[in-house]
Amino acid sequence: MGEPNFPRLEAEVLEFWKKQGIFEKSDRKPAPRGKFVFYEGPPTANGQPAMHHVLARSFKDLFPRYKTMQGFHVTRKGGWDTHGLPVEIAVEKRLGVLGRKALSREEIAEFNATCKKYVFENIQDWNYFTERLGFWVDLDSAYITYTNEYIESVWNLLKRLWDKGLITQDYKVVPLSPRISTTLSQNEIADGYREVDDPSVYVRFPLKLETTPKAVRQRLNAQGVRLEDLENLAILVWTTTPWTLPSNTMAAVNPQMDYALVRSPSAGHLIFAMEAVERLKELHEEELEVLAQLKGADMEWWEYTPPFPEVCVELGVVKEQGERRENGRPVMHFVALADFVSAEDGSGVAHEAPVYGAEDLELSRKYGTPLLFGTDEYGVMRVTGERGKFFKDADKGLIRAMKERGVMYHAGTIRHRYPFHDRTGDPILYFAKPSWYIKTSLFREQLYARNEEINWVPEHIKYGRFGNWLKDNVDWAISRERYWGTPLPFWVAEDGSEKVCVGSVRELSELAGRDLSDLDLHRPYVDDITFVKDGKIFRRVPEVLDVWFDSGAMPYAQWHLMLDENGRPLPGTEANYELFEQHFNADFICEAIDQTRGWFYSLHAIATLLYDRPAFKNVICLGHLVDEKGQKMSKSKGNVVEPLPAFDKYGADAVRWYMFTASEPGDTKRFSERLVAEAMRGFLGTLWNVYSFFVLYANLDRPNLKERPPVEERPEIDRWLYSRTQQLVQEVSEALERYDARGGARALEEFVEELSNWYVRRNRRRFWKNDDAADREAAYATLWEALVAVSQLCAPFTPFVAEALWQNLVRSVDENAPESVHLSQWPQAQAMDQSLLKSMHAALEVVRLARAARARSGVKTRIPLPLMLVTAPTAEERAGLQHFASEIADELNVKELRVLGPEEEVLSYRVLPNLPVLGKKYGKKVPAIRQLLAELDGKYVAQTLKAKQALHLEIEGETITLTPDELLLEALSPAGYEALEERGYMAALEVRVDDELFLEGLARELIRLVQQARKDMGLQVSDRIHLSYQAEGKYAEALRKFGSRLQEETLALSLSEAPITGFETGLEDEEGRVRFGLSKA
RNA sequence: GGGCGGUUAGCUCAGCUGGUUAGAGCACACGCCUGAUAAGCGUGAGGUCGGUGGUUCGAGUCCACUACCGCCCA
C-alpha cells in the first residue's frame, strides 16, 4: 500500500491476467445475453503505434469490457490492414525505387515480397503496446488482408457485385507523374504544391451564327441588338493550360450567371461574364462597350469553332468537323452549362478538356461528348505542330499558333499554386485513365436510408459529414495501378470483347484447367494465369484493388466467407458462413473522423449494396489528437508524444482516463503530458487515497465484510452513501448505454470526489477509534460496498486499478467471488432514497456557503462558534438540513445549528419570479412583474404565501395571481451574522468567541501538536503513550479544562504536569507557552 | 472553392429543451485542516461567452452574416 505507483501496479495486474488467462476466461464465460458484435478497424502494422492509437483503442476496449461484464459475449478478433500505399512508399524508399514505372515480373515479385516482409516489421511493438494499454483483443486470430483466404473472400464479394452488374469500366481523371506515368494519390501530391507562373490566356472561340439558340435571339431582339450586325462574334474562353486547348470539346458557362455581349475595338464582338467586364477592360487596356446582356442558360448548345479544329479529325474521333449526332445535336464544340463555373478569375467561360480535368470529364459524360487525347499518358503532345513535345513545353508554340490564327485575345501570365511530383520534379498531369468502378451512385437512396439506422457519436456526423457524402455519392473507383494489393479478379479477352470476374480460387482453377490452390494470389503470380474460353485468350487486368475495399470487406473476409451465385456457402465453408451470420452486423465500431470516407464508408457501401443493411449500428467517431499548441502531431515537427513513456510514467489507466474525459470524443483534443498527470492525480489519486484509507484501518479492525449489517440499520450518512452509490451505478450504466464514455467517466469522477471529500472526511473517526462495534461495522460495510462498486464501474475505463481494488477488496474477503473484476457481473442499481439524496445535496450546498462565511469571519475553524443559521428553498430540503444538522455543525465546528423556515422572524426574503414558469405564462408582462416583486417586502410575501397560498398583484390595471410555484423565495442574510446566500440556500454564522470557546480551540491546537509528535516519533496509530507537560498562560488553562479530551484523542494513558521526559514538542505564542514530553506506554 | 466541426477564465474544458448572479479542474494568491498526512480542503482574484446584426419579456444557448483555427473533399 502507501503511495500509489500505477505503472508498477499495472505490471502486476498484467502478470496476473496472463498467468490466470483472464482474457481467455472472459471469452469463455457464459453469455446469457447473447452476442455483442465489435469490429476491429485494422491498423497497418508497419507504422509505429502512436498516441492516437491509444485514443481509438481505449474506446474500442471500453465497450466490449462493459458488455462482457453485462453478460454478453464479445468476439474480439483483431485485424491488420496490410496492403496499399503506406507500405509501398516505405518499401520504395527502402529499395530506392523511383516511382513504379513498368516493373518487370521479377521486380514486381521482389517488390511485393519486400512489402510482405515489412508489413509486420513493427508487429512486436504493436503487440507490446496493445497489451500494455490493456486493450483486450485477440491478435492470434487476427485477420490479415494479404492472406489468400482474405483475398479470395474479397474476390467473392466482387463477383457478387459483378453478377449484379454493378462493376463497370470508365475513365477517371487521376493525377499522374508524367514521364513515368505513375498514378499518384492525393496524399502524394499534397506536399508538392509550388507557387509558379503559368500562362493565362483568353481565347476567342468564334460562334456559328446559324446555330444561335432561340433564347439568345429573343433576348438580343428584346434589347434591340441584331445578331446579323455582330461581326466576328466569339465567346471568350479562359485557361491557364494552353496545352489542353487542342483537346477542347466544350465551352462551359454558369447557367445562373449574367453574360455580357460587348464590342471590342480590337477583336470585334465578344461574350463573357458581366462580372469580368471591368477586369478585362483593365487587363487588355481597351474600352469595351456592353451591347446586351445574356443569361448563361440561354446559350446552351451554341456551336463554335475551336482554336484547333483539325484535331478531332486527326485523332479519328469524328470524320469531319462539325459532325452531328443522330438527334441533330453537335458531337462537340458547343456551349455547355455547368454550376461549377465562376467568374472570380478569367472570363467566366471555362474551357473544357475532359481528358485533363475531373469536372470536365463529369460534364462530358452529361453531354455525351467524346474524349480528345491531345497527349499520351507520358505527357507528350500527339497533335498540332507541337507534336512530340512535353506538355508544359508546348504552351509557347500553341500561343504563337493561336495568335497566327487570330483567335488569341489576350495572353498573359498568372501566379498560382500548382502541384509537382516531388521525386521527379515534374508538374502533375491530370489525365483520364480507364478505371474500374462500383456503381454505388445507383444506391444513393439506400445508402442514405441505411444510414438512418446508425447511431452516430457525435450526432452531427450522421447528416453532416457522412450524410452529405452519401447524398452526393459518386461511383466508387476501385482500381489502382499499383503492385501491393488485392489483384482485381477480372480477366479480359484479348480482343476486349468479353470480361470474366472470378469469384474463387476453385473457379480460377477450373478456367485455367489446373489446380491453383497453392497459388499466391498476389502479383505477379496471378498475372501468369491465363485461360482460353470461347477460343479467346483471357488475361487478368493489371490493376489492384483500392485498399479501402479490403478493409470494408472485413465483416465477410475475416471469416473467409465464400458464397455461390445463390448466396449459399461454398462446400466446405459452411462453418465460415455460420460465423459470419453470428457477427453481422456490428453493434459497435470506433475510429477517428478521417474514416468517414474511408472505412466507415467502405463498410457501409458494401453492406448496403449486398445486404441492404448497415454494417454497424453504433459508431464513435473520434476527433484528432493534436499537440499542446493545437498543431498536428508529426514526426517532422518533432511534437509527437510517444505512448510508452507516458505509460511508464503515469500508467496506462491515467492515459486512458485522459482520453475518456479530456473532451467530447468527437472533438479535437489538445494532448499534453501535463493533462495526463492531472488525470492521474485527480481521479486515480483520489480513488487510491480512499482505498488506502480503507485498507489501513480495515487491516487493524478486521471488520467482517462477508456478513455486513443490513443497510436500513445503518446510520443516515451510510444510507446516504448507499443511495448515492446506487445513483452512480445508474448514471454510469445509462451513460454507457448511450455510448457516452465521457458522461460515465464524469459521473465516476464526481462520485469519487464526494466519497473522499465528504463521506470519508466526515466519517474518519468512525474508522479509527470506534468502540461502537455496530457503527464501526456499518461504516466499513458502507465504504467497502462503495469501493467495490467503483471498482466494477471503472473496470471498463481503467481496467488495471479496478483489478487491483477488486483483488484486495473482494477476493481477499471471499475466495468464491469472481476471479477478476472483469469476470464479475456488472452491478444493478438498487432502489435509492431520493429524499435522502436531496437532503444531502442541500447540506452540501449549505456547507459550501458556510465555509465561505467562515473564511470571511477570520475565525479559524479550530475555534468553535456558538451558532449557525441555515435554510434552503424548499421544505423538503430544510427537513434534510435538520437531518444532517450534526454533520454540518461538526464540519464547521459550531456548537448549535438552527434551520430556519420562511416564517422565521430573524430572516427576511427576496422574492424572485420563477422565470421558466412565469415567462411562458405572462410573456411581455415579465419585466413589470419583476419590477413589482423587487419592491415587495419579502417577509410579507413569505407569510402571505404561507397563509393564502397565492399572491395578488396589480399590473397595468389588471390583477394577476401568482401561486407559490411561480415564485422563488431567497433568504437574505440576517444582520449581525457572517452570512452568505445563494439561490435560496443560506448559511449564517454567529461570530462570538467567548473565553470557553477560545480555550476549546486552543485545546484542539494542542491535540494537533501531540498528534504530530506521535507521528514524528513513528508510533503506530494504535500505540498508547504517557504525556508529561509544562504550560503557562492560556495553554495552561486550556489543559486544565480540556486535558481529558486531549488524553482521549491522543491515546494518552496519563497526563501529568511534570518534568518533560521522552520525545519533546511544544509551542509558544502570545497566548502562552507549552511543552510536552511523550513516551510510548 | 464546397462541406463539417470548433472559438466560454492564463491553460484544458463543462454549460440539457433560451430563464434569475456563466461553472469545474489546473496554474496563481491567501487561508484552513492535520491519526488518508511529502496527502487533503476551502476562499479569492481572473470572463465584452470570437465579432456584427436580428428574433424574444429574456440569448453563451435560436437565426443571418462575418473573422480565425482544425478536419475532409475539390
mmCIF file of all heavy atoms in Angstrom, chain A residues 308-325:
data_model
loop_
_atom_site.group_PDB
_atom_site.id
_atom_site.type_symbol
_atom_site.label_atom_id
_atom_site.label_comp_id
_atom_site.label_asym_id
_atom_site.label_seq_id
_atom_site.Cartn_x
_atom_site.Cartn_y
_atom_site.Cartn_z
ATOM 1 N N PHE A 308 -8.223 24.714 -82.490
ATOM 2 C CA PHE A 308 -7.523 23.703 -83.274
ATOM 3 C C PHE A 308 -8.542 22.698 -83.814
ATOM 4 O O PHE A 308 -8.595 21.549 -83.370
ATOM 5 C CB PHE A 308 -6.467 22.998 -82.422
ATOM 6 C CG PHE A 308 -5.431 23.953 -81.875
ATOM 7 C CD1 PHE A 308 -5.548 24.483 -80.593
ATOM 8 C CD2 PHE A 308 -4.359 24.355 -82.675
ATOM 9 C CE1 PHE A 308 -4.612 25.374 -80.098
ATOM 10 C CE2 PHE A 308 -3.418 25.251 -82.172
ATOM 11 C CZ PHE A 308 -3.549 25.771 -80.886
ATOM 12 N N PRO A 309 -9.367 23.132 -84.771
ATOM 13 C CA PRO A 309 -10.494 22.306 -85.214
ATOM 14 C C PRO A 309 -10.059 21.019 -85.907
ATOM 15 O O PRO A 309 -10.800 20.047 -85.924
ATOM 16 C CB PRO A 309 -11.249 23.221 -86.185
ATOM 17 C CG PRO A 309 -10.279 24.274 -86.579
ATOM 18 C CD PRO A 309 -9.307 24.431 -85.463
ATOM 19 N N GLU A 310 -8.840 21.010 -86.389
ATOM 20 C CA GLU A 310 -8.412 19.834 -87.148
ATOM 21 C C GLU A 310 -8.142 18.623 -86.250
ATOM 22 O O GLU A 310 -8.127 17.479 -86.714
ATOM 23 C CB GLU A 310 -7.151 20.171 -87.961
ATOM 24 C CG GLU A 310 -5.880 20.452 -87.135
ATOM 25 C CD GLU A 310 -5.835 21.853 -86.503
ATOM 26 O OE1 GLU A 310 -6.836 22.602 -86.619
ATOM 27 O OE2 GLU A 310 -4.820 22.204 -85.882
ATOM 28 N N VAL A 311 -7.950 18.884 -84.958
ATOM 29 C CA VAL A 311 -7.517 17.811 -84.062
ATOM 30 C C VAL A 311 -8.504 16.651 -84.002
ATOM 31 O O VAL A 311 -8.120 15.481 -84.037
ATOM 32 C CB VAL A 311 -7.253 18.374 -82.647
ATOM 33 C CG1 VAL A 311 -7.094 17.244 -81.645
ATOM 34 C CG2 VAL A 311 -6.006 19.238 -82.664
ATOM 35 N N CYS A 312 -9.780 16.974 -83.944
ATOM 36 C CA CYS A 312 -10.749 15.898 -83.738
ATOM 37 C C CYS A 312 -10.776 14.923 -84.919
ATOM 38 O O CYS A 312 -11.010 13.727 -84.751
ATOM 39 C CB CYS A 312 -12.135 16.457 -83.451
ATOM 40 S SG CYS A 312 -12.767 17.567 -84.688
ATOM 41 N N VAL A 313 -10.517 15.433 -86.082
ATOM 42 C CA VAL A 313 -10.462 14.544 -87.238
ATOM 43 C C VAL A 313 -9.152 13.757 -87.219
ATOM 44 O O VAL A 313 -9.109 12.549 -87.442
ATOM 45 C CB VAL A 313 -10.577 15.355 -88.549
ATOM 46 C CG1 VAL A 313 -10.525 14.413 -89.753
ATOM 47 C CG2 VAL A 313 -11.864 16.158 -88.543
ATOM 48 N N GLU A 314 -8.101 14.496 -86.892
ATOM 49 C CA GLU A 314 -6.775 13.892 -86.844
ATOM 50 C C GLU A 314 -6.744 12.692 -85.898
ATOM 51 O O GLU A 314 -6.111 11.674 -86.160
ATOM 52 C CB GLU A 314 -5.808 14.976 -86.346
ATOM 53 C CG GLU A 314 -4.344 14.710 -86.582
ATOM 54 C CD GLU A 314 -3.510 15.877 -86.047
ATOM 55 O OE1 GLU A 314 -4.002 17.032 -86.062
ATOM 56 O OE2 GLU A 314 -2.394 15.619 -85.593
ATOM 57 N N LEU A 315 -7.434 12.853 -84.775
ATOM 58 C CA LEU A 315 -7.444 11.768 -83.798
ATOM 59 C C LEU A 315 -8.441 10.675 -84.159
ATOM 60 O O LEU A 315 -8.578 9.680 -83.447
ATOM 61 C CB LEU A 315 -7.779 12.317 -82.407
ATOM 62 C CG LEU A 315 -6.679 13.163 -81.755
ATOM 63 C CD1 LEU A 315 -7.187 13.825 -80.500
ATOM 64 C CD2 LEU A 315 -5.449 12.315 -81.462
ATOM 65 N N GLY A 316 -9.168 10.909 -85.246
ATOM 66 C CA GLY A 316 -10.105 9.888 -85.700
ATOM 67 C C GLY A 316 -11.362 9.791 -84.863
ATOM 68 O O GLY A 316 -12.079 8.792 -84.908
ATOM 69 N N VAL A 317 -11.636 10.809 -84.085
ATOM 70 C CA VAL A 317 -12.820 10.769 -83.223
ATOM 71 C C VAL A 317 -14.078 11.016 -84.049
ATOM 72 O O VAL A 317 -15.131 10.408 -83.838
ATOM 73 C CB VAL A 317 -12.686 11.805 -82.098
ATOM 74 C CG1 VAL A 317 -13.980 11.920 -81.310
ATOM 75 C CG2 VAL A 317 -11.535 11.418 -81.177
ATOM 76 N N VAL A 318 -13.962 11.936 -85.015
ATOM 77 C CA VAL A 318 -15.070 12.163 -85.957
ATOM 78 C C VAL A 318 -14.499 12.156 -87.373
ATOM 79 O O VAL A 318 -13.291 12.303 -87.570
ATOM 80 C CB VAL A 318 -15.784 13.514 -85.692
ATOM 81 C CG1 VAL A 318 -16.587 13.453 -84.411
ATOM 82 C CG2 VAL A 318 -14.766 14.651 -85.646
ATOM 83 N N LYS A 319 -15.391 12.015 -88.331
ATOM 84 C CA LYS A 319 -14.925 12.008 -89.718
ATOM 85 C C LYS A 319 -14.672 13.412 -90.233
ATOM 86 O O LYS A 319 -13.770 13.661 -91.014
ATOM 87 C CB LYS A 319 -15.961 11.307 -90.597
ATOM 88 C CG LYS A 319 -15.997 9.798 -90.378
ATOM 89 C CD LYS A 319 -16.690 9.132 -91.554
ATOM 90 C CE LYS A 319 -16.922 7.661 -91.281
ATOM 91 N NZ LYS A 319 -17.972 7.448 -90.238
ATOM 92 N N GLU A 320 -15.524 14.329 -89.799
ATOM 93 C CA GLU A 320 -15.339 15.705 -90.281
ATOM 94 C C GLU A 320 -15.728 16.680 -89.185
ATOM 95 O O GLU A 320 -16.460 16.339 -88.257
ATOM 96 C CB GLU A 320 -16.213 15.939 -91.512
ATOM 97 C CG GLU A 320 -17.660 15.583 -91.229
ATOM 98 C CD GLU A 320 -18.579 15.888 -92.394
ATOM 99 O OE1 GLU A 320 -18.061 16.144 -93.481
ATOM 100 O OE2 GLU A 320 -19.799 15.902 -92.180
ATOM 101 N N GLN A 321 -15.224 17.891 -89.286
ATOM 102 C CA GLN A 321 -15.548 18.915 -88.303
ATOM 103 C C GLN A 321 -17.037 19.228 -88.343
ATOM 104 O O GLN A 321 -17.652 19.210 -89.404
ATOM 105 C CB GLN A 321 -14.765 20.195 -88.612
ATOM 106 C CG GLN A 321 -13.294 20.074 -88.282
ATOM 107 C CD GLN A 321 -12.534 21.283 -88.780
ATOM 108 O OE1 GLN A 321 -13.044 22.395 -88.780
ATOM 109 N NE2 GLN A 321 -11.315 21.049 -89.223
ATOM 110 N N GLY A 322 -17.579 19.546 -87.167
ATOM 111 C CA GLY A 322 -18.983 19.944 -87.118
ATOM 112 C C GLY A 322 -19.945 18.773 -87.304
ATOM 113 O O GLY A 322 -21.128 18.963 -87.581
ATOM 114 N N GLU A 323 -19.442 17.575 -87.114
ATOM 115 C CA GLU A 323 -20.297 16.400 -87.261
ATOM 116 C C GLU A 323 -21.431 16.401 -86.220
ATOM 117 O O GLU A 323 -21.267 16.897 -85.113
ATOM 118 C CB GLU A 323 -19.433 15.150 -87.080
ATOM 119 C CG GLU A 323 -20.090 13.879 -87.550
ATOM 120 C CD GLU A 323 -19.074 12.738 -87.579
ATOM 121 O OE1 GLU A 323 -18.140 12.793 -88.404
ATOM 122 O OE2 GLU A 323 -19.184 11.835 -86.735
ATOM 123 N N ARG A 324 -22.575 15.857 -86.609
ATOM 124 C CA ARG A 324 -23.734 15.836 -85.725
ATOM 125 C C ARG A 324 -24.114 14.422 -85.325
ATOM 126 O O ARG A 324 -23.769 13.469 -86.002
ATOM 127 C CB ARG A 324 -24.924 16.507 -86.413
ATOM 128 C CG ARG A 324 -24.715 17.959 -86.506
ATOM 129 C CD ARG A 324 -25.764 18.759 -87.219
ATOM 130 N NE ARG A 324 -25.239 20.115 -87.234
ATOM 131 C CZ ARG A 324 -25.296 20.916 -86.176
ATOM 132 N NH1 ARG A 324 -25.929 20.550 -85.094
ATOM 133 N NH2 ARG A 324 -24.743 22.108 -86.233
ATOM 134 N N ARG A 325 -24.822 14.335 -84.247
ATOM 135 C CA ARG A 325 -25.331 13.028 -83.819
ATOM 136 C C ARG A 325 -26.665 12.778 -84.494
ATOM 137 O O ARG A 325 -27.212 13.641 -85.177
ATOM 138 C CB ARG A 325 -25.537 13.022 -82.309
ATOM 139 C CG ARG A 325 -24.374 13.615 -81.558
ATOM 140 C CD ARG A 325 -24.689 13.695 -80.074
ATOM 141 N NE ARG A 325 -23.797 14.698 -79.481
ATOM 142 C CZ ARG A 325 -23.688 14.902 -78.175
ATOM 143 N NH1 ARG A 325 -24.427 14.199 -77.338
ATOM 144 N NH2 ARG A 325 -22.862 15.802 -77.718
#
